[in-house]
Amino acid sequence: MNSSQRESARQKDANSRRVLDEAARRRRARKALEALEQDNFHDDPHANLVLSKKIPKFEESLDGKQTRRRKSKNFEIFKQRFRKSFAQLLEEEQMNRPEPPNYVSAQVPPSKFPERHFCAVCGFICNYTCLSCGARYCSVKCLGTHQDTRCLKWTA
Amino acid sequence: MAAKHIFVLDNGGFNIKAGFANNSEPRVMPNAVMKAKSERRRPFIGDQLDECRDVSGLYYILPVQKGYLINWDTQKDVWDYLMGKDCFNVHINTMSLVLTQPYLNFQSVQEGLCEYWFEEMECESLLTINPGTLSAYKYGKENPSELCCLVVDCGYSFTHLIPYVQGKKITEFVHRIEIGGKMLTNHLKDIISYRQLNVMDETYVINQLKEDTCFVSTDFNGDMAIAQKKAKENPYVVDYVLPDFTTIRRGYMRPKDEAGSGEQVIRMNNERFAVPELLFHPSDIGIQQMGISEAIVYVIEQFPSEVQYHLYKNVLLIGGSCSLPNFKERVEKDVRTMAPAECEVRINLASNPVTDAWRGGCVLTKDPQFSSQLVTRREYEEHGFSLCLQRFDV
């Protein structure tokens, strides 16, 4: 028998496993952080609502309606001028106030203390790192859960 | 100027605190327009939410993003409701307004605020100011012998550290940590959804869960070891009964040994203190920034040593996230271990961290110098936004 044809189950397993590189891991971490900034996870529950025109609208009175319309015209112009996303504001700020103190300079520097690691499954202090995706785990049991549920499947 | 002609509006990222300067308590309401699954007819503005029976899957539209005013439309809805007949019925064109805005607010937002209040609302006079400045002013009035104060404002969007020396804000040493109540709630939502029950849509309920069960650990590693024990000898395990909005209107904490009758529960263990821990170690979720205690020491150490001494004994905690139990004790313990031994460390927690800035605003209106801080509508029409930029210290 030719030795080159012999297969080791362990090696085959190790080679077939997809390992995320550093960039992909960083991208995942950034996405997870962005998710933590979201106001809502789900979509607007009223988004697909079609209101029947027959429903009487009680709140609007005639004179109230008029003042509202007058105001809203000015407000529309105002809104147009000040409609800026956070990224736009930040960019503008860097043009206006390049010298500290500004938004960027006010951020605190990284901590002097070493990072702590917690099991991605149970949340306790842990010692091990998943080879494929870099998540932390504390025991074989948690590793099993991690591989079954999140490892390389997780789209945050 | 009579106090009843001054309206104080602390415009937070999550809660608005508002009232006339002669009120004893502000009205606190969400700074948001919310939509419920159960109520298809209308959105809820601010504290109209109290009229909503079923708040499951509540959808938030917030005017403020990352702490800064972005969505003017929503903000106008909330302000209109607040100023309107249903709430305060403010006749703004004969009123002075004290309005808070975030530290180092973007110039464009500042300009928008001034233009909105002077040109849209035609208010009589305006003062925009940082919430920390109001609290520091109040602190200075209550403790006249103290010369300095370091305000730690731990709110919804982020945490700021603002040093004041003899009542004056030292802007170049203002620092920001990008962790606040929102991050905690979202993180808690994430881990519960992974470990137990999908609650990703239930921001409102999980925020209550956080407020009801979470606390700050004063001995993190020790508490972690305790939490690892079996439920029987583990004091931290609790069941949180989720509201179903028919019989249970609001969730509540139930001791673990009490038997339930089929309500939906979430079992809380290490989550109770591991989540608030993010405030002290943002690196736990990969945010490479200092925690609150370390940042306090970092900010103070940039001052000359004679000022440091005064700052260490006048740290003031404000903002909603400071209401977590043991917050003050933890900060005290951490700062004590890091501060020079000869310095006295005194951490003060505001009696009500949420409304403290609003109260400070009320105290400020009684200051003899108060009217000189205001910009009147006439002055604005004469000099425009540049005067506001000069006079308001943001």
Side-chain angles (χ1 to χ4, degrees), chain B residues 8-13 15-19 26-29 354-355 358:
Chain B
V8 182
L9 176 58
D10 181 3
N11 200 45
N15 272 330
I16 279 193
K17 285 73 73 175
R27 192 156 161 171
V28 182
M29 64 167 83
V354 177
T355 58
W358 183 86

Side-chain angles (χ1 to χ4, degrees), chain A residues 39-54:
Chain A
D39 296 334
N40 301 287
F41 181 74
H42 52 306
D43 298 325
D44 185 347
H46 297 188
N48 302 322
L49 217 59
V50 185
L51 279 180
S52 165
K53 280 180 187 148
K54 284 175 192 159

Side-chain angles (χ1 to χ4, degrees), chain B residues 154 211 214 216 318-327 349-350 352-354:
Chain B
C154 185
E211 287 170 7
C214 284
V216 178
I318 62 167
S321 297
C322 294
S323 319
L324 287 164
N326 284 337
F327 191 98
L349 179 65
N352 185 342
V354 177

Side-chain angles (χ1 to χ4, degrees), chain A residues 36-40 44 46 49 74 79 81 92 97 103 106-108 111-112 116 121-122 149, chain B residues 35-36 39-40 57 60 73 105 108 115 120 175-176 182 186 194-195 270 277 284 289-290 294:
Chain A
L36 285 181
E37 269 296 327
Q38 278 181 347
D39 296 334
N40 301 287
D44 185 347
H46 297 188
L49 217 59
N74 286 340
K79 229 173 54 190
R81 284 185 49 213
E92 203 183 84
R97 267 195 285 196
Y103 182 82
Q107 189 178 331
V108 291
S111 173
K112 292 190 298 248
R116 309 182 299 188
V121 179
C122 67
T149 54
Chain B
K35 293 178 177 180
E39 188 70 64
R40 309 222 115 189
Y60 285 92
D73 252 336
N105 199 1
S108 154
E115 196 172 315
E120 272 289 305
H175 279 84
R176 179 185 72 247
K182 179 193 212 171
N186 278 345
Y194 180 51
R195 292 176 195 167
N270 63 12
E277 189 66 18
D284 287 358
Q289 293 183 353
M290 292 177 170
E294 197 184 352

